[in-house]
């Protein structure tokens, strides 16, 4: 199911968790890892000067610098690169989200794996809103896995997957991915919906009714798609969605959370605070996969 | 002394040469070689005799040295009002002397000219409006740049820039395949949110042929997607050419006139091939100047016009809003103080000052638009025009130049600046990076998309 994994990394320690997951998966599935690095964000109009993604310093990209970055990446991930059958390093300059998307398309990647903050240039963000993650998650054709914490990188493979649905169209795509993964990896799957009661005044009976309805809706929506897969259960909890998603993931000792990304909002002030996806990524103890498009699931 | 490997009188014409010159970090070797570069005085003088128009000659002769142009130049203002920054001085001490000496000048003089031409004038043409005799330094410096370029005295980045245009016919290494691929990609990426969205390539006989700035496919393809979305919502019948899509001209800033001509002919060839009713260029000032204002002359078109009516993006946008092709949801209009950067290249050079303000009247809640002072055709250059933005050697001078725009913006009290020009956009971004005054900046396209009142049938089906 994963033939090619695009690991988007700045090479900084904050992306080591992502790297570990990417390489472990590649090892398990014989996939190729493309270690992808955006060296700098173009600045100063048409000149060769870019802002280094890591340090924010101005650098001039030439063959020498490129070679140096590649060497750095090679030694950072040396052991891991050796442990998989196919790996290559690709570097470029540009706006990180754009270049990650471009590379995923060019490489026909089946999965993008990245850290939660793969090099956001604040100067860039002001002009073009949206964090790298939001932009990649929104537009990628393939699922995007984010590994926020080093501890979140898994050690023993995936055993429990939580799929959180908001019944959107994108959630169908996310469901397919979750189900396929569960089948392929032999995991337990929890189908979960968080009934959003934030900012609402509902009485207990109302809540109960809605919980029952949501359960039924999950059963109706996804039940027929289960085929012969049996290892699943359904949960519906009320609360603030991201909190509940993180809670159930913890309760089930989930190794993976799968959810849809379908926010059209890219303005960081509006989206990042409200975005369930981002909050889940920041708070979850395990990798999070977001799915937006029906391809590659 | 023989010409250098990188710094010489020959333009960059091959990819190999281009890559080699790019590999010369920061132009280190290039500028060292420049110290040895000989001036071919005979050729220089021959060229002056052949190309110097009577207007330039007259201008050099009739300047009254009255100094009325001094205050008009933003570079004079931000550089402590030193005499060396007075427009008439700047041109008399360079081009004027070169002509007087019949081209018999030395290397040091040429390097001084280079520094003056590229770091003390952005060809913004403001001084020309204030000189009682109508003498325009922007025009004369463009001419001087051409002479300098032909002798190899041009900043490294601009030698590369015009080399890019010569090799790829784009200011960046975007090939035809890259470009067409990017159009497909952008259509694909947005078709879910905008059902039916297309970026038609090479459609013959469309109403509009759209051209852009190579930075868009290279780094900011969302700009192309945004153009597509707005054309789509407006119901336009449009296309982009697979060849001749790049409208900018770093060669114009470099003074590489041969290359300018080649590029604009390439765009015009696309017009002849696809026969659109009209052409629309992206939100870029110098691209417009190159293709629409100066281009026809480079191309030797007798009527001084491009082959079909060719308008700037702001003209199309104003028209689309005026005719109701695009509708703004009044609740989404900008409700914070906002100001507008007038791009010299289409405001002073083509008078497009009122259309931009008409656009603002639709997208800004009444009372929130704050003019810079001065504005319209009297506005100052963003600080990075004429190639200034991209030249590493003159970075410091450019940063000083940004101060005028900074003052102007600070005086408006606005935190949001609309800059419908790529280069101004870059300069304002750099200005924020350099001086941290806490502003945001935007092109028009993303702002307008965010405020559209989109007809139901164009929206994705309800979930
Ligand atoms: S204002 Fe005109 S005439 Fe007076 S010094 Fe300047 S260029 Fe010369
Ligand atoms: S064209 Fe602009 S920058 Fe150049 S001298 Fe005149 S006012 Fe100054
Ligand atoms: S960049 Fe914009 S403001 Fe500056 S000279 Fe060019 S058009 Fe004028």
């Amino acid at each position: 199911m994963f033939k090619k994994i695009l690991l988007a990394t700045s090479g900084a320690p904050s992306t080591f968790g992502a790297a570990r997951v990417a390489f472990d998966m590649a090892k398990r599935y014989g996939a190729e890892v493309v270690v992808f690095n955006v060296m700098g964000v173009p600045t100063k109009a048409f000149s060769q000067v870019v802002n280094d993604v890591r340090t924010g310093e101005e650098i001039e990209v030439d063959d020498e610098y490129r070679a140096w970055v590649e060497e750095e990446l090679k030694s950072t991930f040396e052991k891991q690169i050796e442990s998989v059958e196919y790996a290559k390093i690709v570097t470029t300059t540009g706006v990180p989200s754009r270049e990650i998307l471009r590379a995923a398309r060019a490489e026909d990647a089946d999965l993008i794996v990245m850290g939660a903050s793969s090099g956001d240039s604040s100067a860039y963000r002001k002009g073009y809103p949206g964090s790298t993650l939001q932009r990649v998650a929104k537009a990628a054709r393939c699922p995007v896995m984010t590994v926020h914490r080093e501890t979140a990188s898994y050690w023993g493979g995936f055993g429990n997957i939580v799929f959180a649905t908001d019944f959107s169209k994108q959630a169908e795509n996310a469901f397919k991915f979750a189900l396929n993964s569960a089948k392929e990896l032999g995991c337990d799957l929890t189908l979960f919906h968080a009934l959003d009661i934030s900012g609402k005044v509902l009485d207990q009976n109302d809540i109960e009714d809605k919980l029952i309805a949501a359960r039924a809706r999950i059963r109706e929506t996804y039940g027929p798609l289960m085929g012969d897969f049996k290892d699943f259960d359904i949960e519906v909890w009320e609360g603030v969605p991201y909190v509940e998603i993180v809670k159930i993931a913890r309760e089930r000792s989930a190794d993976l959370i799968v959810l849809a990304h379908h926010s059209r909002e890219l303005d960081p002030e509006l989206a990042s605070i409200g975005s369930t996806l981002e909050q889940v990524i920041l708070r979850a103890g395990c990798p999070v996969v977001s799915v937006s498009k029906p391809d590659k699931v | 002394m023989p010409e250098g490997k990188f710094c010489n009188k020959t333009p960059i014409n091959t990819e190999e040469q281009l890559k080699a010159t790019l590999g010369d970090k920061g132009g280190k070797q290039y500028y060292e070689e420049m110290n040895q570069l000989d001036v071919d005085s005979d050729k220089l003088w021959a060229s002056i005799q052949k190309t110097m128009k009577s207007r330039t000659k007259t201008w050099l002769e009739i300047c009254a040295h009255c100094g009325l142009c001094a205050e008009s130049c933003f570079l004079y203002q931000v550089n402590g009002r030193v005499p060396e920054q007075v427009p008439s001085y700047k041109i008399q001490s360079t081009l004027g002397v070169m002509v007087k000496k019949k081209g018999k000048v030395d290397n040091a003089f040429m390097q001084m000219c280079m520094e003056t031409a590229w770091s003390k004038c952005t060809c913004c043409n403001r001084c020309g409006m204030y000189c009682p005799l109508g003498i325009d330094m922007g025009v004369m410096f463009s001419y001087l740049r051409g002479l300098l370029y032909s002798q190899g005295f041009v900043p490294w980045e601009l030698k590369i820039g015009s080399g890019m245009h010569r090799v790829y016919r784009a200011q960046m290494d975007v090939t035809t395949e890259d470009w067409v691929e990017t159009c497909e990609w952008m259509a694909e990426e947005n078709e879910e949110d905008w059902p039916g969205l297309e970026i038609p390539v090479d459609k013959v006989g469309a109403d509009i042929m759209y051209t852009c700035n190579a930075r868009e496919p290279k780094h900011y393809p969302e700009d192309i997607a945004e153009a597509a979305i707005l054309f789509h919502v407006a119901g336009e019948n449009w296309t982009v050419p697979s060849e001749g899509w790049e409208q900018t001209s770093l060669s114009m800033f470099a003074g590489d006139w041969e290359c300018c001509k080649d590029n604009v002919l390439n765009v015009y060839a696309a017009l002849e091939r696809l026969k659109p009713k009209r052409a629309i260029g992206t939100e870029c000032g110098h691209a417009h100047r190159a293709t629409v204002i100066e281009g026809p002359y480079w191309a030797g078109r007798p009527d001084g016009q491009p082959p079909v009516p060719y308008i700037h993006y702001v003209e199309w946008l104003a028209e689309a809003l005026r005719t109701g092709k695009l509708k703004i949801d009044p609740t989404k209009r900008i409700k914070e103080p906002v100001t507008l950067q007038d791009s010299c290249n289409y405001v002073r050079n083509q008078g497009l000052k009122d259309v931009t303000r008409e656009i603002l009247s639709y997208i800004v809640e009444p009372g929130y638009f704050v003019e810079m002072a001065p504005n319209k055709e009297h506005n100052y250059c963003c600080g990075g025009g004429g190639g200034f933005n991209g030249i590493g050697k003159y970075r410091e001078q450019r940063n000083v130049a940004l101060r005028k725009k900074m003052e102007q913006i600070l005086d408006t009290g606005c935190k949001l600046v609309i800059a419908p020009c790529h280069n101004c956009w870059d300069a304002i971004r750099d200005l924020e990076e350099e001086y941290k005054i806490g502003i945001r900046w935007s092109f028009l396209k993303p702002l307008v998309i965010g405020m559209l009142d989109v007809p139901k049938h164009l929206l994705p089906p309800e979930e």
Side-chain angles (χ1 to χ4, degrees):
Chain A
M1 116 178 245
F2 304 116
K3 286 193 208 67
K4 209 180 241 191
I5 298 174
L6 185 99
L7 167 66
T9 173
S10 62
S14 63
T15 63
F16 287 176
R20 184 170 300 145
V21 176
F23 280 104
D24 278 358
M25 288 181 72
K27 219 182 319 175
R28 226 164 262 253
Y29 307 117
E32 171 174 4
V33 180
V34 180
V35 178
F36 182 71
N37 172 261
V38 180
M39 297 179 284
V41 184
T43 174
K44 314 309 174 207
F46 54 86
S47 73
Q48 301 306 309
V49 180
V50 301
N51 277 335
D52 187 289
V53 168
R54 274 171 289 182
T55 61
E57 262 167 48
E58 276 181 20
I59 44 157
E60 227 170 275
V61 173
D62 57 3
D63 290 346
E64 205 182 307
Y65 187 78
R66 205 174 279 271
W68 177 78
V69 171
E70 280 176 21
E71 208 40 57
E72 284 278 290
L73 290 169
K74 221 181 262 165
S75 56
T76 307
F77 300 118
E78 196 178 359
K79 287 224 173 64
Q80 288 163 311
I81 288 174
E82 278 168 15
S83 75
V84 297
E85 213 163 321
Y86 318 98
K88 66 174 173 188
I89 292 177
V90 177
T91 60
T92 191
T93 57
V95 179
S97 57
R98 213 9 93 197
E99 297 312 316
I100 292 168
L101 288 166
R102 196 194 300 269
R105 183 179 152 97
E107 298 278 349
D108 198 18
D110 303 298
L111 181 72
I112 297 171
V113 181
M114 58 197 284
S117 60
S118 233
D120 277 321
S121 153
S122 57
Y124 171 77
R125 281 185 64 166
K126 274 199 195 133
Y128 281 100
S131 72
T132 299
L133 170 70
Q134 281 170 338
R135 301 179 71 88
V136 171
K138 178 178 190 296
R141 298 253 126 194
C142 63
V144 179
M145 177 186 279
T146 314
V147 185
H148 181 47
R149 292 159 204 238
E150 174 71 347
T151 52
S153 48
Y154 73 116
W155 304 97
F158 298 116
N160 293 289
I161 298 178
V162 166
F163 159 66
T165 181
D166 55 3
F167 300 111
S168 64
K169 192 170 100 237
Q170 286 83 349
E172 282 169 35
N173 306 329
F175 169 73
K176 275 188 207 130
F177 177 80
L179 179 64
N180 288 346
S181 307
K183 279 185 184 165
E184 188 107 359
L185 312 177
C187 302
D188 291 340
L189 177 62
T190 302
L191 306 178
F192 179 73
H193 175 71
L195 182 65
D196 190 354
I197 55 165
S198 51
K200 297 182 188 108
V201 190
L202 293 172
D203 71 41
Q204 196 53 35
N205 287 339
D206 255 5
I207 295 176
E208 300 290 338
D209 290 348
K210 287 206 160 69
L211 290 175
I212 292 169
R215 252 169 206 286
R217 192 166 173 198
I218 294 188
R219 206 172 295 279
E220 275 158 31
T221 314
Y222 304 111
L225 305 171
M226 283 295 174
D228 51 9
F229 185 76
K230 296 272 176 296
D231 303 327
F232 69 94
D233 67 338
I234 293 172
E235 282 292 349
V236 179
W237 295 357
E238 78 274 21
V240 181
Y242 74 81
V243 177
E244 301 309 314
I245 294 170
V246 171
K247 263 167 42 190
I248 189 153
R250 195 174 306 145
E251 195 197 277
R252 298 289 148 107
S253 313
D255 315 291
L256 191 64
I257 298 172
V258 178
L259 72 173
H261 177 81
H262 69 276
S263 166
R264 299 180 75 161
E265 192 54 71
L266 282 175
D267 188 326
E269 273 152 43
L270 297 175
S272 62
I273 302 162
S275 154
T276 303
L277 172 65
E278 282 210 327
Q279 292 300 324
V280 170
I281 287 168
L282 288 176
R283 289 154 212 268
C286 65
V288 177
V289 170
S290 75
V291 183
S292 168
K293 302 268 160 46
D295 326 53
K296 302 264 180 195
V297 295
Chain B
M1 190 65 194
E3 297 182 44
K5 180 170 167 224
F6 300 131
C7 186
N8 49 47
K9 297 182 174 61
T10 322
I12 294 175
N13 276 316
T14 66
E15 192 166 18
E16 214 186 336
Q17 258 176 305
L18 182 64
K19 293 213 161 122
T21 314
L22 265 170
D24 172 26
K25 206 168 176 164
K28 202 159 168 275
Q29 185 181 336
Y30 179 90
Y31 288 118
E32 265 161 35
E33 289 173 1
M34 189 180 282
N35 293 331
Q36 312 299 322
L37 192 64
D38 271 341
V39 184
D40 184 342
S41 295
D42 295 341
K43 196 178 148 221
L44 182 59
W45 180 233
S47 170
I48 291 175
Q49 281 175 305
K50 209 171 95 213
T51 58
M52 197 161 95
K53 303 248 159 60
S54 53
R55 180 176 70 169
T56 313
K57 224 178 282 169
T58 315
W59 276 352
L60 283 174
E61 281 160 14
I62 62 170
C63 170
H65 306 288
C66 62
L68 285 177
C69 51
E71 204 49 40
S72 69
C73 178
F74 76 111
L75 288 165
Y76 173 79
Q77 294 187 28
V78 295
N79 282 293
R81 297 187 158 79
V82 292
E84 291 75 26
Q85 287 280 4
V86 175
S88 66
Y89 176 85
K90 286 187 272 198
I91 201 69
Q92 291 291 349
S93 61
T94 53
L95 183 62
V97 171
M98 198 184 278
V99 173
K100 238 177 244 146
K101 292 196 170 167
K102 298 191 169 20
K104 295 219 164 19
V105 292
D106 60 8
N107 181 299
F109 176 83
M110 291 297 265
Q111 291 208 39
M112 180 276 284
C113 287
M114 175 177 91
E115 190 183 330
T116 313
W118 277 282
S119 83
K120 296 184 181 167
C121 177
T122 63
C123 302
C124 76
N125 306 90
R126 191 171 190 270
C127 51
M129 290 186 25
Y130 292 87
C131 167
L133 305 176
I135 300 174
D136 189 330
M137 254 42 79
V139 171
M140 288 205 279
F141 268 115
S142 289
Y143 176 67
L144 175 64
R145 285 177 178 200
L147 295 175
L148 292 166
Y149 177 86
S150 69
Q151 294 281 330
F153 291 90
V154 57
W156 177 69
E157 286 90 346
L158 285 171
K159 173 109 183 189
I160 291 169
S162 83
M164 287 276 185
H165 281 288
R166 282 169 173 268
V167 175
Y168 301 107
R169 286 197 162 133
Q171 61 158 308
M172 286 166 153
D173 56 348
V174 182
T175 62
T176 305
E177 294 72 49
D178 293 341
W179 159 248
V180 172
E181 160 87 19
T182 305
C183 292
E184 280 167 23
W185 177 28
M186 281 303 112
E188 234 178 79
E189 199 176 289
N190 290 282
E191 71 197 353
E192 231 167 278
D193 288 347
W194 302 95
L197 183 77
E198 270 186 293
I199 303 186
V201 180
D202 282 341
K203 180 159 60 160
V204 176
D207 293 339
I208 292 168
M209 184 184 98
Y210 181 66
T211 52
C212 66
N213 176 324
R215 281 169 70 66
E216 295 168 18
K218 180 78 181 178
H219 292 308
Y220 310 108
E222 40 277 333
D223 200 302
I224 300 161
E226 286 159 1
I229 290 166
L230 287 167
F231 286 144
H232 173 69
V233 174
E236 296 283 17
N237 169 15
W238 71 294
T239 189
V240 294
S242 56
E243 279 281 348
W245 54 270
E246 153 71 313
Q247 212 199 324
T248 67
S249 182
L250 289 183
S251 35
M252 173 172 79
F253 291 157
D256 182 356
W257 304 122
E258 197 185 25
C259 177
C260 287
K261 177 175 173 183
D262 178 69
N263 275 294
V264 80
L265 285 176
N266 195 35
V267 179
Y268 291 176
L271 290 171
E272 317 267 9
R273 188 161 48 86
L274 300 182
K275 304 186 175 45
K277 293 206 179 67
R278 56 183 180 161
I280 296 172
T282 187
E283 289 177 72
C284 181
H286 97 270
H288 185 74
R289 178 167 175 179
T291 351
V292 184
I293 304 167
E294 311 221 7
Y297 299 98
W298 301 334
R301 294 189 60 86
D303 58 355
Q305 297 293 327
V308 304
Y310 208 133
I311 61 176
H312 188 272
Y313 200 77
V314 293
E315 295 180 273
W316 176 78
L317 189 56
E319 173 199 290
L321 290 165
R322 189 186 312 133
T323 55
K325 280 185 199 166
L326 293 177
K327 286 198 189 68
I328 297 295
D329 174 349
T331 62
K332 294 183 183 157
R333 294 207 281 209
I334 298 172
K335 290 181 195 61
E336 67 167 287
V338 55
T339 189
L340 170 74
Q341 162 62 9
D342 281 306
S343 155
C344 320
N345 280 325
Y346 65 78
V347 171
R348 203 144 33 242
N349 277 297
Q350 216 204 355
L352 296 181
K353 56 184 176 186
D354 295 327
V355 278
T356 45
R357 285 162 177 79
E358 184 187 347
I359 294 168
L360 295 182
S361 76
Y362 299 107
I363 66 171
V364 180
E365 187 80 0
Y368 286 96
F369 172 46
V370 188
E371 287 276 12
M372 285 185 203
N375 54 47
K376 300 183 181 169
E377 66 270 44
H378 297 282
N379 196 21
Y380 291 107
C381 168
C382 58
F388 211 1
N389 262 349
I391 305 173
K393 194 175 167 66
Y394 304 136
R395 172 67 55 229
E396 255 173 69
Q397 291 95 314
R398 200 287 313 258
N399 287 347
V400 173
L402 296 175
R403 285 190 193 148
K404 191 71 215 176
K405 194 51 58 183
M406 175 177 74
E407 278 171 26
Q408 276 194 295
I409 294 172
L410 284 174
D411 286 346
T412 64
C414 298
K415 295 285 173 217
L416 178 60
V417 186
I418 297 179
C421 162
H422 271 266
N423 198 52
C424 303
W425 190 99
D426 276 333
I428 291 167
R429 176 194 60 190
D430 286 2
L431 151 64
E432 174 59 27
E433 231 177 78
E434 182 69 22
Y435 297 105
K436 311 227 171 357
I437 57 172
I439 50 169
R440 291 168 288 125
W441 54 95
S442 181
F443 288 115
L444 285 162
K445 296 184 196 98
L447 286 176
V448 172
I449 289 177
M451 301 176 206
L452 281 181
D453 182 357
V454 184
K456 266 239 154 52
H457 69 278
L458 292 177
L459 290 169
E462 290 285 327
E463 278 163 12

